[in-house]
Amino acid sequence: MELWNSSTWGSSFILVGILNDSGVPELLCATITVLYMLALASNGLLLLVITTDVRLHVPMYLLLGQLSLMDLLFTSVVTPKALMDYLRRENSISFGGCALQMFLALTLGGAEDLLLAFMAYDRYVAICHPLNYMIFMSPRVCWLMVATSWILASLSALGYTVYTMHYPYCKAQIKHLLCEIPPLLKLTCTDTSRYELMVYVMGVTFLIPPLAAILASYTLILFTVLHMPSKEGRKKALVTCSSHLTVVGMFYGAATFMYVLPSSFHSPKQDNIISVFYTIVTPALNPLIYSLRNKEVMGALRRVFGKHSLTTHSAF
């Protein structure tokens, strides 16, 4: 087989995403555009509210703000290019652009993986040890959690990206929405079975401990909530935790499918659908899941827009 010269920065891949493989691409393009605009607006608004309202300057909302930032960046790494490629009928991505997209997607996905575990720990401390909450979740500890999520995810993503992109590639067509490890490895000229096994093992290592910590946290939370004397307290705790568990289920379900299931279970069509789910749908839904059922966030939204409306009227 003739070797396609992919190892230079001037070479390009062809991204054949879900828009190019759909029976109704115009409708799908419009749907993705709406979801992307919703993700930008909802995550941006949540970040604005958490930043400007001092009542939300507590660990829970600091972590939630970081989740919104990660979702905002994650969907922006993938969606605009996919839409522009479809509209311009130009699906190429340079070798360097592919490497950058992979690095950013892995960083943001890995950081969210760790952050969700820290958010579960935050809820565990708040509900099970409320008197010691500001000791266990001090601002310093909270920022350490945030920094740990970003740094560990960046280092892991850098290693994956460098090693994946060092392979020689015989084909240029990536049957996927974005540059990711599983679809890229199908294009290599060499045997990648050992690396695929390493990706599987590392995927399990990176996903399972945080997921186990989340499940353990919520098991302990459930026992505590069931013994709460206050019906209102039980309801508030369950609403907060159910929102988090919904987000956890969507994120870990998609991540497990892509990076834990063996390659024999993958098909380009399934991978494309899953990639749309965790790069476009989930970032649009996360802020709605967290905010619509959260009285503090809804109250902060009213206060922020109330001040803005009052300022506007005063100007006139």
Side-chain angles (χ1 to χ4, degrees):
M1 182 180 291
E2 184 182 351
L3 179 65
W4 173 67
N5 186 18
S6 65
S7 58
T8 61
W9 288 81
S11 304
S12 296
F13 289 103
I14 306 297
L15 283 171
V16 185
I18 194 167
L19 286 170
N20 306 94
D21 199 30
S22 169
V24 282
E26 293 83 5
L27 177 61
L28 188 57
C29 182
T31 304
I32 289 174
T33 302
V34 170
L35 285 171
Y36 180 59
M37 298 307 295
L38 177 62
L40 289 181
S42 56
N43 284 293
L45 190 57
L46 193 55
L47 273 170
L48 174 67
V49 168
I50 290 171
T51 304
T52 56
D53 195 303
V54 293
R55 300 183 197 186
L56 299 185
H57 291 178
V58 293
M60 173 184 172
Y61 293 108
L62 171 63
L63 297 176
L64 180 56
Q66 288 293 310
L67 180 66
S68 285
L69 177 62
M70 290 171 186
D71 281 338
L72 193 62
L73 294 173
F74 199 179
T75 192
S76 296
V77 165
V78 178
T79 314
K81 175 162 178 55
L83 293 173
M84 290 304 296
D85 283 354
Y86 172 73
L87 294 173
R88 294 184 307 164
R89 299 294 191 271
E90 174 60 54
N91 300 330
S92 65
I93 183 170
S94 67
F95 183 83
C98 186
L100 179 61
Q101 189 183 60
M102 180 189 294
F103 170 73
L104 292 174
L106 288 173
T107 296
L108 293 162
E112 188 165 332
D113 167 43
L114 296 173
L115 188 74
L116 287 172
F118 289 135
M119 290 175 74
Y121 174 75
D122 169 73
R123 291 298 82 209
Y124 161 72
V125 174
I127 294 170
C128 300
H129 303 282
L131 298 179
N132 294 320
Y133 182 70
M134 290 314 297
I135 297 173
F136 293 132
M137 288 298 298
S138 65
R140 183 178 179 181
V141 170
C142 199
W143 281 112
L144 181 62
M145 289 178 171
V146 171
T148 300
S149 298
W150 283 104
I151 293 170
L152 288 182
S154 299
L155 293 174
S156 173
L158 182 62
Y160 275 128
T161 303
V162 170
Y163 202 82
T164 301
M165 301 307 289
H166 96 284
Y167 282 109
Y169 290 92
C170 291
K171 300 177 185 177
Q173 192 176 86
I174 304 172
K175 295 182 178 180
H176 201 55
L177 181 67
L178 71 155
C179 289
E180 277 195 289
I181 297 172
L184 263 174
L185 292 182
K186 294 177 181 178
L187 311 181
T188 61
C189 307
T190 57
D191 179 28
T192 60
S193 56
R194 288 187 179 181
Y195 181 54
E196 287 181 45
L197 178 61
M198 190 191 81
V199 170
Y200 169 78
V201 171
M202 292 302 293
V204 170
T205 304
F206 212 82
L207 287 170
I208 299 304
L211 182 58
I214 290 169
L215 294 176
S217 296
Y218 280 104
T219 300
L220 294 171
I221 286 170
L222 182 61
F223 283 126
T224 302
V225 167
L226 292 176
H227 290 88
M228 280 183 175
S230 167
K231 186 177 179 181
E232 185 64 29
R234 284 200 302 272
K235 182 180 177 182
K236 182 179 178 181
L238 288 172
V239 165
T240 303
C241 295
S242 63
S243 299
H244 187 204
L245 283 173
T246 303
V247 172
V248 165
M250 292 193 300
F251 177 83
Y252 280 95
T256 299
F257 185 90
M258 282 302 297
Y259 287 97
V260 175
L261 284 182
S263 58
S264 57
F265 287 85
H266 291 253
S267 73
K269 189 171 184 179
Q270 286 177 329
D271 286 357
N272 261 319
I273 293 170
I274 294 295
S275 67
V276 167
F277 188 78
Y278 64 78
T279 60
I280 301 170
V281 177
T282 302
L285 294 181
N286 280 356
L288 300 179
I289 292 169
Y290 274 110
S291 60
L292 292 179
R293 299 175 67 189
N294 189 303
K295 291 181 180 179
E296 285 86 357
V297 173
M298 295 306 293
L301 276 169
R302 286 191 288 269
R303 287 192 294 273
V304 168
F305 282 104
K307 286 180 184 178
H308 178 72
S309 177
L310 188 61
T311 304
T312 303
H313 284 304
S314 299
F316 288 101

